[in-house]
Amino acid sequence: KKGKIMQQLINRIKFGDALINNPNIFSDTAKKAAETINEKTSDTQMRRFYNEVLVFHTKLSQSKEKEAEFKKLMPFIYMIKAKVAYAKGRGKVCDNYSSLLNHCIDQSKDLNSFEHCKLFLEAVLAYSKKKK
């Protein structure tokens, strides 16, 4: 059941200009996403992947040529998907978290959408703390 709920949520999570169609993305949508992530995915694991996104975000915010820097960092940002697949294979994260993180990374097509990705993962992490 949680997998079906997560798939419905993923279909609604759109970053960039499409964000205007889901004004509750960082509140209600993030809260529901956090609720579908099971105990197998610890706060530590979610924090780990959020921190990876945050490192790239920080590099971009300090760069003078943000667009060029984003293009250089994109392969490394997308490598987060490989890392979450490894964590999933080792039983450290659940299917729902893996699907969510992959979708968020896939939505990160430019600086604006990557900013939204960071904010969304931050909100999911915050809501996951609340449920414990």
Side-chain angles (χ1 to χ4, degrees), residues 11-37:
N11 293 337
R12 294 184 53 219
I13 299 169
K14 306 262 189 276
F15 300 143
D17 293 340
L19 194 72
I20 196 163
N21 296 324
N22 188 359
N24 299 323
I25 193 165
F26 301 128
S27 56
D28 299 345
T29 305
K31 182 178 181 183
K32 286 179 187 157
E35 290 168 354
T36 66
I37 296 167

Side-chain angles (χ1 to χ4, degrees), residues 16 67 70 74 107-115:
E67 287 293 336
F70 181 76
M74 273 185 79
Q107 288 286 309
S108 300
K109 304 285 187 208
D110 55 29
L111 284 168
N112 191 34
S113 56
F114 184 66
E115 171 76 16

Side-chain angles (χ1 to χ4, degrees), residues 40-41 86-94:
K40 185 190 278 188
T41 305
Y86 179 71
K88 180 181 162 189
R90 293 187 60 225
K92 300 288 186 183
V93 300
C94 68

